[in-house]
Amino acid sequence: MQVLYYYSMGVKNMKLTKSLWITILAVVFFSCGSTKVEPAPVVVEEPVIEEPAPVPVPVEKTEKEKEYERSVGDIDVSLDTFTQDKNAILAIIDELAVVMKNYDYTSWLTYLDRESISYWSKRPNLSVAQKKLPVKNLQLRTLEDYFKHVFIPARRGKKVTEIRYNSDKNIKAVQVQEDVDIVYYNFNKINNVWKVHIPENE
């Protein structure tokens, strides 16, 4: 560069004119060159592809679990309690089958709740039930008549397969036919013992 050249030649006190200064500065500027600034590379981010959440595979319920749900509905009863209640009620129904086969009225009374015995011992209530009988000329004068002519015929040969909770202390024993519940027995839990309840006349 000229400035350095003049200096190296020993011309230290040389007076520089205005035009010379411009020339020197121009030379210095252009000799340095313009540094080309490379643009920063554009980083293209790969799109994030989210994998769809795995669809949970439904677990097939066992037949016992399905029956439990049908039987309990929205009543708060555990599976263990349901199993115990069903076993107890089916055992009672098996005993009643023997009682009915023998027309054992005295034993039958021990399976009924007091409310049923009281209601169905009254002649007016028996009279209403008598009018609904499919067989005419049958007389219902006593609870024993009801046992022989109504209770036994309505249940003889029928097979109870499941139970349905109305509450934790009231259960229907049913036979399921083509998804239809046919009620054969009603039970009330009294002092921790299941007793047969005969519904009143409608």
Side-chain angles (χ1 to χ4, degrees):
M1 294 188 296
Q2 289 184 356
V3 174
L4 298 177
Y5 172 77
Y6 291 142
Y7 186 84
S8 65
M9 294 297 293
V11 186
K12 299 177 181 177
N13 298 322
M14 180 180 179
K15 292 183 180 180
L16 301 177
T17 65
K18 183 177 181 181
S19 61
L20 185 58
W21 271 114
I22 294 172
T23 303
I24 293 171
L25 291 173
V27 171
V28 171
F29 177 77
F30 286 110
S31 65
C32 292
S34 58
T35 304
K36 185 177 181 182
V37 179
E38 293 291 335
V42 178
V43 178
V44 179
E45 295 185 359
E46 292 292 330
V48 178
I49 301 175
E50 294 185 0
E51 293 291 332
V55 178
V57 178
V59 179
E60 184 66 24
K61 294 179 180 177
T62 65
E63 288 303 316
K64 184 175 182 179
E65 289 171 332
K66 292 178 183 177
E67 181 187 346
Y68 167 69
E69 290 180 358
R70 287 195 301 271
S71 299
V72 172
D74 58 358
I75 306 300
D76 185 17
V77 175
S78 69
L79 178 60
D80 287 342
T81 300
F82 157 73
T83 302
Q84 293 170 5
D85 289 342
K86 182 182 178 184
N87 290 340
I89 285 173
L90 292 182
I92 293 171
I93 291 173
D94 286 343
E95 294 171 8
L96 283 169
V98 177
V99 169
M100 291 187 289
K101 182 179 179 180
N102 297 326
Y103 285 86
D104 188 349
Y105 171 70
T106 303
S107 295
W108 178 69
L109 289 177
T110 63
Y111 289 89
L112 301 186
D113 62 12
R114 291 181 180 178
E115 183 182 343
S116 298
I117 293 174
S118 175
Y119 181 87
W120 289 104
S121 295
K122 297 174 181 177
R123 283 292 298 272
N125 298 330
L126 291 168
S127 178
V128 172
Q130 178 181 312
K131 295 175 182 178
K132 298 178 182 180
L133 293 175
V135 180
K136 303 303 177 183
N137 302 321
L138 280 177
Q139 301 294 313
L140 298 181
R141 297 186 179 88
T142 65
L143 181 55
E144 186 172 3
D145 289 337
Y146 182 92
F147 169 62
K148 292 178 178 178
H149 301 304
V150 179
F151 190 89
I152 292 177
R155 295 161 181 81
R156 184 188 288 123
K158 303 300 189 293
K159 180 67 175 177
V160 169
T161 54
E162 298 187 14
I163 63 174
R164 299 287 184 265
Y165 284 86
N166 294 321
S167 72
D168 60 341
K169 298 187 182 304
N170 181 263
I171 285 176
K172 295 180 291 188
V174 305
Q175 182 181 46
V176 182
Q177 291 184 349
E178 298 180 357
D179 297 327
V180 176
D181 293 344
I182 303 174
V183 181
Y184 287 117
Y185 297 91
N186 290 272
F187 287 88
N188 284 332
K189 197 170 192 178
I190 302 170
N191 297 327
N192 213 35
V193 176
W194 289 106
K195 291 286 189 177
V196 175
H197 176 74
I198 304 175
E200 299 177 0
N201 289 312
E202 294 181 355

